[in-house]
Amino acid sequence: MHTAQAGGNNDQVQGFAPVAGAGARVLVLGSMPGVASLRQGRYYAHPRNAFWPIAASVFGFDPGLDYEQRLQALQVARIALWDVLQACERPGSLDADIRGDTLVANDFAAFLERHPAIVRVCFNGAKAAALYRRHVLPGLAVPLEYVDLPSTSPAHAAASFERKLAAWSKALTLTD
């Protein structure tokens, strides 16, 4: 999925399609997959990223399941995954290195039309929240609840796993 532009710029990255079941209620948004994820074609593929251990703890599945089974477990829990950006230029994996003049946001209006049960959007880190609020939210007319969460990235070491787990557990759990 990591693509080079015709001009030879290897910093051009393309995101993934969303993972969402028909009954998805919560949408988890990152900014753009990191290098490890892009290489493997999988969300949150870096071995030190806390996303899968957190999701497994919250929803009671084995974080060692193969990728497709982990995605199925999220869909059973009515959780969708996507990223704010469809494409951008970024050397490496750090959100801080995303070139602002190159970003292309995903089509959230069409996504939310296809997934009308979504009521909450959880941002995996401050950059995802900022990008969404600047490049997506002004064009949306859908009332949603927004929750800013500590990044599960290994680059965000300021928060302990326990603190991240507590915040994510509360945000991912809806009471119907």
Side-chain angles (χ1 to χ4, degrees):
M1 290 240 155
H2 191 264
T3 58
Q5 286 185 322
N9 184 345
N10 290 329
D11 295 339
Q12 179 67 30
V13 289
Q14 185 77 32
F16 304 142
V19 174
R25 304 256 331 204
V26 175
L27 173 60
V28 172
L29 291 177
S31 53
M32 172 62 75
V35 171
S37 292
L38 292 166
R39 284 191 185 130
Q40 295 181 41
R42 299 175 174 195
Y43 282 101
Y44 305 108
H46 192 287
R48 290 195 327 267
N49 192 297
F51 178 79
W52 290 114
I54 287 170
S57 179
V58 172
F59 298 115
F61 65 87
D62 179 352
L65 291 174
D66 73 38
Y67 181 67
E68 291 304 318
Q69 290 174 308
R70 285 181 279 156
L71 292 179
Q72 284 181 329
L74 287 184
Q75 289 178 48
V76 167
R78 301 171 76 181
I79 305 295
L81 293 180
W82 208 14
D83 288 299
V84 176
L85 300 181
Q86 172 189 347
C88 68
E89 285 183 22
R90 180 196 63 207
S93 293
L94 295 178
D95 284 346
D97 293 335
I98 293 172
R99 286 195 41 211
D101 61 334
T102 67
L103 58 84
V104 177
N106 276 310
D107 185 351
F108 284 90
F111 175 82
L112 292 167
E113 190 173 301
R114 288 190 311 273
H115 300 281
I118 290 178
V119 295
R120 181 180 293 163
V121 176
C122 295
F123 298 110
N124 191 344
K127 185 67 167 194
L131 289 169
Y132 182 92
R133 288 185 172 109
R134 179 165 185 187
H135 299 284
V136 177
L137 189 58
L140 281 185
V142 180
L144 298 168
E145 177 186 0
Y146 296 103
V147 182
D148 293 26
L149 292 167
S151 174
T152 61
S153 167
H156 182 62
S160 69
F161 178 83
E162 292 74 21
R163 184 173 150 240
K164 290 178 185 183
L165 177 60
W168 278 85
S169 180
K170 183 177 177 185
L172 293 176
T173 308
L174 284 177
T175 53
D176 290 319

